[in-house]
Amino acid sequence: MGIAVSPQIHPQVADFIEKPRKMLINGNWVSAASGKTFPTYNPATGEVLAQVAEGDREDIEQAVKAARKAFDHGPWRKMTASERGRLIWKLADLLEAHTEEFGYIESLDNGKPLGIAKAADVPLAADLFRYMAGWATKIEGNTIPISVPYTPGAKYLAYTLREPVGVVGQIIPWNFPLLMAAWKLGPALATGCTVVLKPAEQTPLSALRLGELIMEAGFPEGVVNIVPGYGETAGAALAAHPDVDKVAFTGSTEVGKLIVHAAAGNLKKVSLELGGKSPNVVFKDADLDAAIPGSASAIFFNHGQCCCAGSRLYVEKSIYDRVVEGVAEQARKIRLGSGLDPETQMGPLVSKEQLDRVCGYLEAGFSEGAKAITGGHQSGNKGYFVEPTVLVNTQENMKVVKEEIFGPVVAAMPFSDPEEILPRANDSTYGLAAAVWTRDINKAHRVAEQLRAGTVWINCYNIFDAALPFGGYKQSGWGREMGHDVLNLYTQTKAVCANLAA
Ligand code: ADP
């Protein structure tokens, strides 16, 4: 350990990964109750990057206890909304001041290019915290004129309070480790909840470093607890815990269903951001200079490890060859390499498991008759690299068209009639995102209305903003993150009714 980044390159990061990382419970950095640690790997090399405390049921127990105490009895609930907002803003400032360091941690742990982590992941996370800091003072109830027909002549004052939902368990994935932590923590803190956060076992490091900044910012002990560990142990214990009021999960649809079952015991509130198989529709009247690179980045951004990746590329027949060849050309130009190499445009997949999964899908595609016009294989034999791949000869019923691959693999299909495309685009158990490329604004908005997806991009893709709600239709999830919509997931409404009898 410690060799992944030399102290000359980044002394703080070298130091951070050199020591076994502990978990944050009740404001203290502690080892796992079992004393166990687990390794996290550098996906560019397959070598162990750092050792991390392995949280399990007992650690979750302690973390939930701390979050409960902080919610029920700590100074957190007595703080004004303005004080809460200022703390969140301070966290954003601290995060931004450590952009370089978080860029390295994210690149080493997840594999993504350092430049992208610094230009996208870290600033988006800081921006999310700032956006949510602003909301802390703007969460308002209503006064409600009530009539109550069975009490003629009576007068009431009725109003609603929006109160924090309580102790929140948050389980996040490995594709945007820091950003997903921000998406979850930001609204929980803005609304006054307390949190037990479980980062993904593949990428726990940036959340743990963020925990240090949370304490440095001055959040009271127990408000944020961070327990790294595996999903089937720590994650399952958190989702099932009877003293957790809400669980927020981002990950696979399969695990999302397990979360729903686990939450049933105490009927905790559940929000889910799950998988996708998003259609990206290019009409013949599109600006192809924008649509071709846009469709390439729709699938290849973050190595295809985006739940909203544009993995089904539908192109109107007369421009099909040109668009598909154009996307393939873009794919061929992508430089694969270690995230720390400044020339790298695409890093490795996050893990051996993902590499095997994506290669398994490619094999399944080939055996069903799909053909790769570029890519189609693992790249090199060190680290977990997969060639950016464009599949043609694909049919709607193939595995590679129906199922989420979560890798740099797009299935291209022609369509001949604009009327035909909507049912095909909507023919999915998922409904997270979709895109349409056309110069016809009427068509663009008509199609946007009819696509069954939580986000529709018109002449763009992967545009995210803290103010824009994100979430899924159908089996892509429950609830919306970001925007003011997310506040509903972390608050509950209390109706207060006062009799103003003289
Ligand atoms: P992927 O398959 O892409 O790794 P997962 O849905 O398995 O995505 O993982 C997303 C998050 O869910 C991770 O933090 C993981 O540890 C957690 N997780 C996995 N299985 C469970 C489970 N049974 N209960 C709770 N959390 C889980």
Side-chain angles (χ1 to χ4, degrees):
M1 271 178 289
I3 52 165
V5 55
S6 78
Q8 285 78 21
I9 295 176
H10 206 297
Q12 288 90 348
V13 174
D15 189 49
F16 186 74
I17 58 180
E18 179 69 35
K19 300 191 196 106
R21 303 317 314 174
K22 296 187 173 177
M23 55 183 81
L24 177 62
I25 297 181
N26 205 29
N28 300 312
W29 290 96
V30 296
S31 302
S34 66
K36 283 203 236 170
T37 63
F38 69 100
T40 169
Y41 297 90
N42 176 352
T45 61
E47 288 158 3
V48 172
L49 177 65
Q51 289 289 338
V52 177
E54 186 187 328
D56 201 342
R57 182 170 301 277
E58 181 50 32
D59 308 285
I60 291 292
E61 195 59 48
Q62 295 310 318
V64 171
K65 226 177 242 165
R68 185 86 259 162
K69 187 169 83 175
F71 187 79
D72 291 343
H73 307 294
W76 180 236
R77 290 298 301 289
K78 300 195 186 86
M79 275 187 187
T80 64
S82 164
E83 285 169 326
R84 273 205 321 273
R86 261 180 285 162
L87 278 179
I88 301 170
W89 194 280
K90 190 165 173 198
L91 177 60
D93 286 346
L94 284 170
L95 178 57
E96 200 168 67
H98 291 85
T99 298
E100 184 81 13
E101 185 186 343
F102 274 90
Y104 269 94
I105 293 175
E106 212 67 335
S107 178
L108 284 166
D109 210 10
N110 166 278
K112 64 181 69 196
L114 174 62
I116 292 188
K118 287 197 296 186
D121 297 64
V122 185
L124 279 169
D127 195 53
L128 188 290
F129 281 127
R130 291 207 176 102
Y131 174 84
M132 290 299 164
W135 269 116
T137 48
K138 296 164 196 72
I139 299 165
E140 299 170 344
N142 297 312
T143 52
I144 300 172
I146 59 170
S147 307
V148 199
Y150 55 85
T151 58
K155 191 162 171 48
Y156 301 96
L157 171 64
Y159 58 93
T160 54
L161 297 172
R162 289 183 65 197
E163 299 182 342
V165 76
V167 173
V168 181
Q170 303 187 318
I171 301 173
I172 57 172
W174 45 258
N175 56 347
F176 294 90
L178 173 69
L179 187 59
M180 291 301 104
W183 280 26
K184 293 281 182 283
L185 290 170
L189 296 172
T191 51
C193 295
T194 61
V195 175
V196 177
L197 175 76
K198 194 206 80 68
E201 54 270 38
Q202 297 86 349
T203 55
L205 296 178
S206 55
L208 294 172
R209 182 68 186 106
L210 186 68
E212 294 182 348
L213 297 188
I214 287 168
M215 297 320 294
E216 189 179 333
F219 284 88
E221 65 186 30
V223 171
V224 176
N225 305 274
I226 304 178
V227 181
Y230 292 102
E232 309 76 50
T233 52
L238 184 56
H241 200 291
D243 219 13
V244 169
D245 300 302
K246 171 196 164 57
V247 61
F249 170 79
T250 297
S252 59
T253 293
E254 187 191 347
V255 175
K257 292 178 183 177
L258 297 177
I259 301 283
V260 170
H261 284 289
N266 70 336
L267 285 180
K268 58 175 66 68
K269 315 279 181 278
V270 180
S271 55
L272 304 168
E273 204 265 89
L274 307 174
K277 190 76 190 178
S278 299
N280 180 31
V281 181
V282 185
F283 287 102
K284 65 176 184 232
D285 55 9
D287 171 2
L288 296 191
D289 291 340
I292 290 172
S295 299
S297 99
I299 182 64
F300 298 130
F301 175 63
N302 212 41
H303 328 166
Q305 300 170 134
C306 295
C307 41
C308 56
S311 50
R312 288 186 289 148
L313 174 61
Y314 292 106
V315 187
E316 204 161 348
K317 213 168 216 155
S318 60
I319 54 162
Y320 177 79
D321 289 339
R322 196 168 145 208
V323 170
V324 170
E325 187 43 47
V327 171
E329 194 50 43
Q330 300 269 330
R332 288 182 201 110
K333 285 196 288 204
I334 293 173
R335 269 190 68 120
L336 262 70
S338 152
L340 295 189
D341 179 344
E343 303 282 296
T344 291
Q345 292 167 315
M346 185 188 282
L349 300 187
V350 74
S351 63
K352 170 84 169 59
E353 189 188 355
Q354 276 306 113
L355 172 71
D356 293 344
R357 180 188 149 97
V358 172
C359 291
Y361 271 112
L362 288 170
E363 286 309 313
F366 299 143
S367 71
E368 286 185 304
K371 184 170 157 263
I373 56 167
T374 187
H377 304 99
Q378 179 177 0
S379 170
N381 49 20
K382 189 172 168 214
Y384 313 132
F385 295 90
V386 170
E387 297 166 346
T389 300
V390 177
L391 296 178
V392 295
N393 291 352
T394 49
Q395 311 289 337
E396 299 291 350
N397 57 357
M398 287 181 180
K399 251 170 101 86
V400 287
V401 176
K402 290 206 109 45
E403 297 180 19
E404 183 176 44
I405 298 176
F406 226 67
V409 181
V410 66
M413 286 160 287
F415 65 93
S416 45
D417 177 353
E419 295 304 311
E420 159 210 343
I421 192 54
L422 275 163
R424 285 177 67 192
N426 285 332
D427 181 19
S428 172
T429 53
Y430 296 114
L432 192 56
V436 46
W437 300 82
T438 173
R439 284 193 172 101
D440 177 340
I441 56 166
N442 294 343
K443 180 159 66 183
H445 293 294
R446 266 200 325 270
V447 171
E449 191 198 342
Q450 291 174 78
L451 284 164
R452 298 200 61 213
T455 293
V456 178
W457 286 295
I458 298 175
N459 296 330
C460 58
Y461 210 99
N462 282 333
I463 299 300
F464 294 98
D465 190 274
L468 201 56
F470 183 80
Y473 281 36
K474 299 190 262 182
Q475 293 189 34
S476 288
W478 288 352
R480 294 292 176 272
E481 299 196 281
M482 301 199 291
H484 53 76
D485 273 53
V486 71
L487 302 171
N488 296 328
L489 301 181
Y490 288 89
T491 52
Q492 49 194 346
T493 300
K494 179 181 282 172
V496 181
C497 178
N499 184 349
L500 298 188

